[in-house]
Amino acid sequence: MPGRSRSLSRASRLFPDGFAYGAAAGLAVDLLVGDPRRGHPVAVFGRAAAAVERRLHHDHRGWGALHTAVCAGSTVALGALAARAVRKRPAAAVALTAASVWAVVGGTTLGREARAIGGALAAGDLEVARERLPHLCGRDPQSLDGPAMARAVVESVAENTSDAVVGALFWGAVAGVPGLVGFRAVNTLDAMVGHRSPRHRRFGWASARLDDVAGWPGARLTAVLATVAGGNPRGAVRAWRADAAKHPSPNAGPVEASFAGALGVRLGGTLSYGGRVEHRPVLNGEGRPVEVADIDRAVRLSRRVTGLTLAACVGGRLLGYALKRRNA
């Protein structure tokens, strides 16, 4: 046992709070099992947030800001209390981080859903693809043909790599468990009330703006890592610089543009959300139209970005600890 004790001691000096072990374990669990079919923590949060909305909803930005503060604030507070409870127990802290990472990331399920749609499209079964598309994004599947669905899947893989993986890991590296669960809460609130429907145009304003702020660093990190991990770095940089600002979302723009350039495909154009037609600018106009095979390429790029994100977040924390010790 003395040898094991020395190994644990060296490990605790290298990773003082166990974030690296917990994050790696959480990603491993997600890779092995994905999201549960029932009782997912994000779904539980969504039901609670919907219940709060029923109590607080008014067509007013102030009430929407209160809804955001209650839902996101209580989630961060619970995460902070849990982290505080295990801060003197390294094994429990690692387990809590692992459970939190598994709960908030969704990379494996994202890839499975994307590939399931790709398989249906490859088999020529558009009806099955249309049935599954709402599991991945909010577009109206009945208005889309095969190539348009393939494009929608690639765009969703790109955007959700940032929202469901990179952004969460970034805030986990910055703020630990409260950062992990807080980011996911904000992102979920944006998906629930942040869209511009008549009911949520004012009420969801605060959630949408907070999601823009929280997602800003993760989106840029995703774009950088997609450029590094993709097969066409020059194309990714060119598309990012030329087209990202044209996108209506300040965070989806860099992510989708860099993915488009890295994959050599053309994204953007006309799409439909709940009967509302939007004409978005084309991203990477020099690329070719998306093909079904590009769905698998996008999923593999997303996985490479996930691995690089873990390395970057762990490296950033190690650098932070080194600077603290140096200045102590």
Side-chain angles (χ1 to χ4, degrees):
M1 298 305 290
R4 183 185 177 192
S5 299
R6 286 194 296 271
S7 297
L8 290 173
S9 178
R10 286 193 297 270
S12 65
R13 288 197 299 272
L14 183 58
F15 302 115
D17 64 349
F19 174 82
Y21 302 123
L27 288 176
V29 173
D30 177 65
L31 182 63
L32 291 172
V33 303
D35 294 336
R37 295 185 180 275
R38 296 181 181 179
H40 194 288
V42 175
V44 173
F45 169 82
R47 290 193 291 270
V52 175
E53 181 188 351
R54 288 192 293 270
R55 293 294 186 96
L56 296 182
H57 184 271
H58 292 75
D59 190 19
H60 190 276
R61 286 184 175 183
W63 285 96
L66 178 61
H67 173 258
T68 302
V70 169
C71 295
S74 60
T75 303
V76 171
L78 287 173
L81 288 173
R84 183 180 177 85
V86 300
R87 72 184 188 279
K88 294 183 180 180
R89 292 179 288 164
V94 169
L96 177 64
T97 300
S100 300
V101 168
W102 168 78
V104 303
V105 302
T108 296
T109 298
L110 171 66
R112 287 175 181 170
E113 290 295 337
R115 282 174 165 154
I117 298 170
L121 291 174
D125 197 336
L126 298 187
E127 289 308 310
V128 170
R130 290 191 177 105
E131 288 177 5
R132 298 197 70 102
L133 188 63
H135 299 171
L136 195 64
C137 63
R139 299 185 192 180
D140 180 7
Q142 300 306 318
S143 67
L144 303 178
D145 59 11
M149 278 191 280
R151 191 193 79 201
V153 171
V154 171
E155 290 172 352
S156 296
V157 168
E159 186 173 2
N160 283 298
T161 298
S162 176
D163 289 343
V165 181
V166 180
L169 290 175
F170 172 85
W171 284 109
V174 170
V177 170
L180 284 165
V181 298
F183 175 81
R184 190 59 168 161
V186 169
N187 188 250
T188 303
L189 288 174
D190 178 61
M192 293 178 65
V193 303
H195 45 85
R196 295 183 178 180
S197 66
R199 176 178 173 84
H200 295 131
R201 183 170 289 109
R202 294 183 180 86
F203 184 81
W205 178 87
S207 290
R209 297 292 76 76
L210 183 58
D211 182 66
D212 286 343
V213 173
W216 195 96
R220 274 72 193 169
L221 179 58
T222 303
V224 169
L225 297 180
T227 299
V228 172
N232 187 356
R234 287 187 178 181
V237 171
R238 182 178 62 248
W240 181 3
R241 294 181 61 183
D243 300 327
K246 301 175 184 177
H247 198 287
S249 168
N251 295 331
V255 173
E256 292 185 19
S258 62
F259 262 69
L263 297 171
V265 300
R266 186 167 63 246
L267 300 179
T270 302
L271 49 85
S272 176
Y273 284 99
R276 185 182 77 254
V277 177
E278 293 185 14
H279 301 282
R280 292 186 177 176
V282 172
L283 306 177
N284 192 37
E286 298 180 7
R288 57 173 173 76
V290 175
E291 301 172 354
V292 173
D294 294 316
I295 293 175
D296 188 69
R297 294 177 63 223
V299 171
R300 285 188 276 117
L301 177 57
S302 175
R303 287 188 172 179
R304 292 195 296 271
V305 168
T306 298
L308 289 174
T309 300
L310 177 62
C313 290
V314 171
R317 286 181 73 94
L318 286 176
L319 178 61
Y321 285 124
L323 291 175
K324 282 183 180 180
R325 287 197 297 267
R326 181 177 179 181
N327 296 327

